[in-house]
Amino acid sequence: MYVAVKGGERAIESAHAWLAEERRGDTNIAELSLPQIREQLKLAVDRVMAEGSLYDPDLAALAIKQSRGDLIEAIFLIRAYRTTLPRFGASRPVDTGAMDCDRRISATFKDLPGGQVLGPTFDYTHRLLDFKLAAESEVPDAPTREVSSGAVPHVTEFLNQEELIESAPHDDTPPPDLTREPLEMPADRALRLQALTRADEGFTLGLAYSTQRGYGRNHAFVGELRIGAVTVEMDIPELGFAVEIGEVTLTECETVNQFTGSKSEPPQFTRGYGLVFGQSERKAISMALVDRALRWEELGEDYVGAPAQDTEFVLYHADNIQATGFLEHIKLPHYVDFQSELELVRKLRREAGEEQFQEAAE
Amino acid sequence: MTEYNFAYLDEQTKRMIRRAILKGLAIPGYQVPFASREMPMPYGWGTGGVQVSAALLTPDDTFKVIDQGADDTTNAVSIRSFFERTAGVATTTATSEASVIQTRHRIPEDALTENQILVYQVPIPEPLRFLEPRESETRKMHSLEEYGLMHVKLYEDISRHGHIATSYAYPVKVEGRYVMDPSPIPKFDNPKLGNMAAIQLFGAGREQRIYALPPYTQVVSLDFEDHPFEASKADHPCGLCDATDSYLDEVIIDDQGGRMFVCSDTDYCTARQAAGHKGKDAA
Amino acid sequence: MEAQTLSGGFDNPAVQSSHAFRNIMEAMARPGQIHEIKGAEPPAPLSIAGGTVLLTLCDTETPVYLAGNADNDEVRAWLAFHTGAPLTGPSRAMFAIGDWKALMPLNAYRIGTSEYPDRSATLIVECAELAASGAKLRGPGIKSQAALSLPEIRAFQSNQALFPLGLDFIFTNGVRLAALPRSTEVA
């Protein structure tokens, strides 16, 4: 006898209870605290904030804990939370020129005003497992020096003075808002950058890498990479002036790209731009390369059919929350569609069989 | 977060969705872009349907959710409990008692009435997507009523297989104008789309589209004079309720490949069994 | 601020707007069918139904055109306070409200584009009478035939001829409303 399966509700509850138990793991091991995650897994926290499009280190830490370290799941938690938040207004554009830089390097000039500041980087570390860390050793204080005062101007400004790089005039057009309006083609640069800054790091990296290997090559130099805190200000109409509402850490990458000119543009360097919440050089550089590749049309370059040049392809597939949801939905029941395919295949096979039989008889 | 707004979504989001629904109803079969929100469930798992339901539910509604025709499939259970919690609506598994039915992949067997609304979860709303992956192109094709590619595809099936090899998500033409994806319902369900007394709304969250069929809309499954559309299903009666007119799931019941066929619409099947109908595999 | 500006909105926006929307949706889905909606108490000359439609569908993202005597200080202040909708002329309006004469000419409104026919205006027509008689209606949403007291016929025929482009109409009178989407054939 056949009894239809019931009790989905109970099964779901039990699965969730089991998940909670697994998340905690062995209870003889101390539980992770949110400050531990926030301070010691900072780059994971930064990625969750960047791709979750919400700057809140404590919430990102909570999401990482809840998701058992699955960062895409954590990003999803942050996105779903973010969408319920009321919107009070928009901040003023942040001024990355006034950034309090922890790190600032240029690959195009040996030295420059503001200097090269390595900052807390994995670069030049030898990737050898440090077994001392396994023993929870104390870390000696890093050497310090006085902060050099004075502004840290953008490298591209020097090139701009000689008109060697395309100008990027100030533009006060309010940017579109990807989270409030459906994505539409053609997408202008502001919209593309918005999509790229929250795009999946791996996807963006892969695309950027493909441009370096020749799929839409754009000869990028890292004009400048800077990481540090900037203040966020908001205009309060009732007060008539802007007030500081907080500080965010950003990674900014400006690439300087070779450009021999086109029908519409003179030979000069061109720009690619990346800006990401938190500290994420890989993402910021990748973003700048992909941004530059997507600009082929406005610069009058040829479309060579490279994936990184294809705005529709890039923007519609860069979001890991959309991608993972749709990818994973194929594990949901599909018996109804599958049944209709079964019937069709059986029918086609039956008819093919009959034809063969007929041919054999003839 | 401790307090949700009624039906989870904030009012501004609901207004945006409501405006899209109205335009969808005014232009049957046309896909209205809408700024789909991130929902607390994954894209691809019904976020479009959930947003449409959230925008139209009132506290007086009785809500039913089915996935593959069944009320007790896990994702149906999950969506139903989401609205029980966030909208406090009454829920039911009885098709006739529901005022709003959210569905994935099926149209209930019982004819729906003028007092009901059917909300479909749609994965890929664009019927031309598998012929042309670019949104910018398919949008042009719809605007110019350029549906030749779709007919060529269907006809190629016929020349290769002797049949149209599309068995679900079978494309339809609405009021002689827009070619529309009916969501991945089996083509067995296609004839129910047209002339339905209930309002039909389609929500695709990830793809950010809403479209609609007002009641009594003309919906025609694409076909050819020499190869007319044919709704098909497994050629068996239901093993439990003996129905011969319902869409059937095939269930494997033993290691020898023994199988039986049962109604995919669990409410339909249960009601028939309660009324005394008995199939050959029933206890 | 005038007391009238602050009052006349929804007491329980989530629930009241859900009921109002369902009736608007039913009306749009079943052209000619008359429904009742209430919840808003807008300043004169707006009807309760007209005001309720505005509160249910409009916000800062929807430019509204107040036509004729619907454009007065009280209505402006009330709409701004309860919806934040920006006021605009007919050519940019997503919604327009007023009596039939004041809303003219129809070719001033957006009818959508062939790629985006949804980017078209919805006109809320305040009517002195609203009855299920008069012009004969056929099309999606109508089982065989419906009837509605339309202010005229030819304008709606020309609008229908634009399909899938065109305007959509909501007719209001007191607490009652009916709708006529662009898909409806009028005779």
Side-chain angles (χ1 to χ4, degrees):
Chain A
M1 195 201 92
Y2 169 77
V3 183
V5 187
K6 295 258 185 223
E9 215 145 335
R10 240 190 26 244
I12 290 174
E13 274 168 26
S14 308
H16 291 175
W18 193 356
L19 171 68
E21 207 178 285
E22 284 288 309
R23 184 191 57 67
R24 177 58 183 89
D26 184 346
T27 49
N28 291 316
I29 308 292
E31 187 174 355
L32 265 178
S33 72
L34 297 191
Q36 284 173 334
I37 297 173
R38 189 190 63 219
E39 298 301 318
Q40 296 174 43
L41 297 176
K42 185 164 182 307
L43 299 187
V45 167
D46 283 354
R47 180 174 173 195
V48 170
M49 296 195 301
E51 293 172 36
S53 301
L54 184 72
Y55 198 95
D56 190 324
D58 291 306
L59 284 180
L62 172 62
I64 291 169
K65 179 173 179 176
Q66 186 180 333
S67 65
R68 308 175 65 195
D70 178 338
L71 294 190
I72 292 186
E73 182 69 23
I75 291 161
F76 184 11
L77 289 168
I78 290 297
R79 290 269 193 97
Y81 176 74
R82 176 191 189 280
T83 194
T84 64
L85 297 175
R87 179 165 297 227
F88 300 117
S91 75
R92 285 189 158 184
V94 294
D95 179 5
T96 54
M99 180 184 280
D100 190 3
C101 293
D102 288 337
R103 172 162 165 79
R104 189 276 194 129
I105 53 168
S106 168
T108 51
F109 295 98
K110 187 169 182 191
D111 201 5
L112 67 168
Q116 302 263 17
V117 181
L118 282 187
T121 175
F122 289 124
D123 295 354
Y124 320 112
T125 60
H126 296 145
R127 268 57 170 208
L128 303 168
L129 276 178
D130 181 357
F131 292 102
K132 287 203 297 289
L133 284 180
E136 299 174 32
S137 62
E138 286 296 312
V139 186
D141 289 338
T144 58
R145 66 162 182 153
E146 283 296 301
V147 178
S148 48
S149 58
V152 183
H154 281 111
V155 168
T156 48
E157 282 171 23
F158 305 124
L159 294 167
N160 209 15
Q161 284 161 13
E162 285 184 72
E163 294 181 6
L164 286 174
I165 194 163
E166 58 164 327
S167 61
H170 190 79
D171 183 356
D172 270 333
T173 320
D177 185 343
L178 188 67
T179 66
R180 313 292 285 186
E181 295 149 35
L183 179 60
E184 241 169 50
M185 297 298 138
D188 67 12
R189 192 175 179 205
L191 188 64
R192 297 195 303 253
L193 289 171
Q194 212 173 99
L196 288 175
T197 192
R198 67 191 330 226
D200 182 72
E201 181 176 312
F203 181 82
T204 318
L205 170 66
L207 280 172
Y209 178 48
S210 74
T211 68
Q212 291 184 295
R213 290 197 64 259
Y215 289 84
R217 179 136 192 249
N218 55 44
H219 314 269
F221 298 99
V222 173
E224 180 169 349
L225 180 76
R226 54 170 71 194
I227 302 174
V230 296
T231 54
V232 179
E233 294 181 325
M234 193 168 157
D235 282 316
I236 309 292
E238 287 81 356
L239 297 178
F241 54 86
V243 296
E244 193 180 318
I245 55 172
E247 203 178 70
V248 297
T249 294
L250 300 175
T251 303
E252 184 186 53
C253 175
E254 287 188 285
T255 56
V256 176
N257 302 68
Q258 212 183 72
F259 183 60
T260 52
S262 69
K263 273 167 251 153
S264 56
E265 304 295 325
Q268 60 182 352
F269 292 109
T270 55
R271 300 164 186 262
Y273 188 71
L275 184 71
V276 191
F277 277 161
Q279 176 173 351
S280 181
E281 302 180 20
R282 185 184 302 121
K283 174 69 182 288
I285 301 170
S286 299
M287 178 175 168
L289 262 59
V290 176
D291 167 51
R292 177 59 186 79
L294 290 173
R295 298 184 59 214
W296 63 272
E297 204 166 7
E298 64 209 48
L299 294 170
E301 293 175 326
D302 290 333
Y303 176 70
V304 298
Q309 284 183 309
D310 186 334
T311 310
E312 212 173 310
F313 177 80
V314 173
L315 297 200
Y316 275 115
H317 302 105
D319 188 289
N320 51 23
I321 302 309
Q322 291 177 355
T324 201
F326 196 56
L327 180 100
E328 295 191 46
H329 107 282
I330 61 175
K331 64 195 174 189
L332 287 177
H334 281 80
Y335 352 112
V336 163
D337 324 3
F338 185 68
Q339 186 63 37
S340 58
E341 290 286 270
L342 262 182
E343 295 300 326
L344 179 69
V345 172
R346 280 183 184 138
K347 184 173 177 178
L348 295 177
R349 285 177 61 90
R350 202 161 51 233
E351 286 169 359
E354 280 164 13
E355 265 171 40
Q356 271 182 0
F357 180 75
Q358 264 184 359
E359 277 167 23
E362 275 163 11
Chain B
M1 193 172 49
T2 49
E3 280 292 307
Y4 299 101
N5 190 27
F6 170 74
Y8 183 76
L9 293 175
D10 60 278
E11 289 305 298
Q12 189 173 6
T13 299
K14 283 190 209 162
R15 278 191 295 271
M16 177 269 296
I17 296 170
R18 286 167 178 167
R19 293 192 294 262
I21 291 173
L22 293 181
K23 287 298 172 193
L25 285 165
I27 318 165
Y30 164 75
Q31 303 163 49
V32 184
F34 83 112
S36 175
R37 300 290 194 248
E38 268 118 356
M39 298 299 285
M41 53 204 53
Y43 284 120
W45 297 54
T47 56
V50 166
Q51 289 179 80
V52 169
S53 293
L56 63 83
L57 282 174
T58 76
D60 303 344
D61 274 312
T62 304
F63 191 50
K64 170 182 164 88
V65 187
I66 49 173
D67 186 342
Q68 314 296 301
D71 298 90
D72 59 352
T73 33
T74 41
N75 205 39
V77 170
S78 164
I79 291 172
R80 188 164 59 238
S81 74
F82 176 73
F83 281 108
E84 277 170 356
R85 218 174 54 233
T86 61
V89 290
T91 57
T92 182
T93 58
T95 301
S96 59
E97 286 169 15
S99 54
V100 178
I101 302 172
Q102 182 170 324
T103 180
R104 177 166 171 264
H105 296 189
R106 275 310 312 276
I107 298 176
E109 303 293 354
D110 283 325
L112 301 186
T113 70
E114 293 202 346
N115 300 317
Q116 294 180 304
I117 298 165
L118 186 58
V119 177
Y120 295 77
Q121 302 172 199
V122 183
I124 303 274
E126 179 48 70
L128 307 168
R129 182 62 69 235
F130 300 111
L131 307 171
E132 168 53 63
R134 279 173 201 285
E135 170 65 19
S136 43
E137 289 301 316
T138 52
R139 190 155 283 276
K140 247 179 251 152
M141 291 158 77
H142 282 293
S143 79
L144 300 169
E145 284 190 81
E146 226 181 69
Y147 296 128
L149 204 56
M150 180 65 94
H151 282 98
V152 168
K153 192 262 167 200
L154 296 176
Y155 212 86
E156 275 175 2
D157 277 4
I158 294 173
S159 55
R160 193 170 311 148
H161 310 292
H163 298 277
I164 291 173
T166 299
S167 60
Y168 61 93
Y170 191 103
V172 297
K173 197 164 199 180
V174 179
E175 290 284 331
R177 178 56 181 84
Y178 285 103
V179 167
M180 184 191 100
D181 178 87
S183 87
I185 55 172
K187 67 178 186 173
F188 172 81
D189 282 340
N190 270 31
K192 301 177 204 164
L193 290 161
N195 231 16
M196 187 188 281
I199 297 172
Q200 298 173 80
L201 302 173
F202 299 78
R206 193 179 37 79
E207 298 280 339
Q208 309 191 307
R209 297 290 183 270
I210 284 172
Y211 51 104
L213 295 173
Y216 311 113
T217 294
Q218 188 206 72
V219 180
V220 178
S221 302
L222 298 184
D223 64 357
F224 300 93
E225 254 174 42
D226 48 345
H227 281 92
F229 173 83
E230 200 185 335
S232 62
K233 68 173 198 70
D235 191 16
H236 300 270
C238 170
L240 296 180
C241 78
D242 207 33
T244 54
D245 57 355
S246 69
Y247 191 76
L248 302 172
D249 285 339
E250 183 171 331
V251 184
I252 297 176
I253 46 176
D254 57 39
D255 292 348
Q256 284 73 52
R259 57 199 65 211
M260 64 178 286
F261 292 87
V262 292
C263 292
S264 108
D265 183 334
T266 47
D267 174 59
Y268 184 72
C269 196
T270 316
R272 278 181 55 86
Q273 291 176 70
H277 297 279
K278 207 167 162 185
K280 70 176 173 60
D281 302 304
Chain C
M1 217 178 273
E2 296 284 318
Q4 197 187 11
T5 300
L6 301 172
S7 65
F10 290 141
D11 313 319
N12 182 352
V15 170
Q16 281 176 299
S17 67
S18 75
H19 286 294
F21 173 68
R22 276 290 277 281
N23 284 305
I24 299 168
M25 182 180 91
E26 286 289 338
M28 192 60 83
R30 304 174 196 279
Q33 212 174 72
I34 293 174
H35 292 262
E36 282 192 10
I37 65 167
K38 42 189 191 254
E41 282 171 23
L46 298 189
S47 66
I48 287 176
T52 306
V53 172
L54 291 175
L55 291 197
T56 304
L57 297 176
C58 297
D59 52 36
T60 52
E61 292 173 3
T62 58
V64 172
Y65 170 53
L66 300 173
N69 64 359
D71 187 9
N72 63 49
D73 290 345
E74 289 76 29
V75 172
R76 281 173 172 246
W78 182 81
L79 190 68
F81 180 77
H82 292 286
T83 71
L87 294 180
T88 181
S91 65
R92 296 193 48 215
M94 277 175 75
F95 291 90
I97 187 164
D99 64 43
W100 181 245
K101 275 212 182 97
L103 287 165
M104 294 299 110
L106 292 187
N107 63 14
Y109 300 90
R110 295 195 303 169
I111 56 168
T113 64
S114 64
E115 293 193 2
Y116 295 98
D118 57 302
R119 294 179 183 173
S120 54
T122 301
L123 271 53
I124 304 161
V125 188
E126 298 270 30
C127 301
E129 65 149 341
L130 189 63
S133 61
K136 303 276 176 286
L137 314 182
R138 282 177 185 279
I142 301 166
K143 193 170 184 182
S144 50
Q145 186 171 294
L148 189 66
S149 54
L150 295 179
E152 64 167 289
I153 287 181
R154 178 171 298 222
F156 299 101
Q157 290 174 332
S158 324
N159 184 57
Q160 197 274 329
L162 298 170
F163 188 89
L165 308 190
L167 306 173
D168 305 307
F169 299 89
I170 295 172
F171 302 98
T172 49
N173 167 270
V175 297
R176 301 179 319 137
L177 100 180
L180 192 81
R182 64 194 79 176
S183 58
T184 306
E185 288 170 41
V186 179

